[in-house]
Amino acid sequence: MPAHMPSPGRNTQQTPSTLVHAMQVLQITARCGHRGASINDYLDALEFSRPTLYRLLKGLKQQGFLRSSPVRGRYLLGYELLVLGAQAGNGAGLRDLVRPRLLALAHRCGDSFYLFARDGFNAVCLEVQNGAYPVGSFVSATGGRLPLGVGQASIALLAYLEADERSDILSHNAARLLSEYAIAVADVEAEIHYLLTHGYAHGVEGSLLPEYSGLAIPILDHSGHPLGAMSCSMLKSRMTADHKADVLKGMQDEVAAMVNKAHGLLYLD
């Protein structure tokens, strides 16, 4: 066990509210970005006392989840989060398996390629590799989240779920899809049908990112359950019939080769 990690049985007085407060501190720190978060940043956003804040900051620093900024009195996210994040984003070894394949596709095709996985009612970006023609996306970096139903990758994640589970997700996300992305559930369901018929998704057109297009295919374990989705984003002007066919075949070949090579690694527990 690493020296900075608590031994079992310690911190027995920690309560659920303390955990929530600690998560809030980390979220505020993340929002403040490279400049770091100040004491006032925390106090302005939180409802607990200054002494409670100082105790949390001290504890989070001891655990490696926060570190001091070069600017006096400010805090940055700690490097321990990188260790945890690398493991969280690598379920079934998926991220390690997909990363070099995304890099090869980006180099060969020139577009932006992504790995997404489901996280509750959201799709989370686990990896992104940009080619010579990088484009904008609903997510700007690894760790970005979208409600399931937004973007072609989320269609690939939804399509192979059980019908009841998929319905629950879309019901939960419906209001947000419409208000924030101008996407109706009926359009998402139509795109899911398209994927199940043609083997790939091209996303639902909303009011955002009108100049971009993309493709996505599911990454299925050997039981047919979606482990993730591989997707590509590009300018609509690059989505010619030939380029579309080349990108789609490239993704399909990479996913098929990966699953065949991985054998039993790509099973859900």
Side-chain angles (χ1 to χ4, degrees), residues 10 16 18 36 62 77 100 102 112 115 119 132 158 179 200 215-216 247:
R10 294 180 61 184
T18 302
Q62 289 175 339
L77 293 178
L102 295 183
S112 297
L115 169 65
D119 184 18
L158 284 167
S179 64
Y200 69 93
L215 302 164
V247 168

Side-chain angles (χ1 to χ4, degrees), residues 138 149-150 174-185 187-188 204-208:
F138 287 115
V150 177
R176 187 178 175 196
L177 291 175
L178 194 58
S179 64
E180 296 183 21
Y181 299 93
I183 293 174
V185 167
D187 295 327
V188 176
V204 179
E205 292 255 351
S207 62
L208 304 178

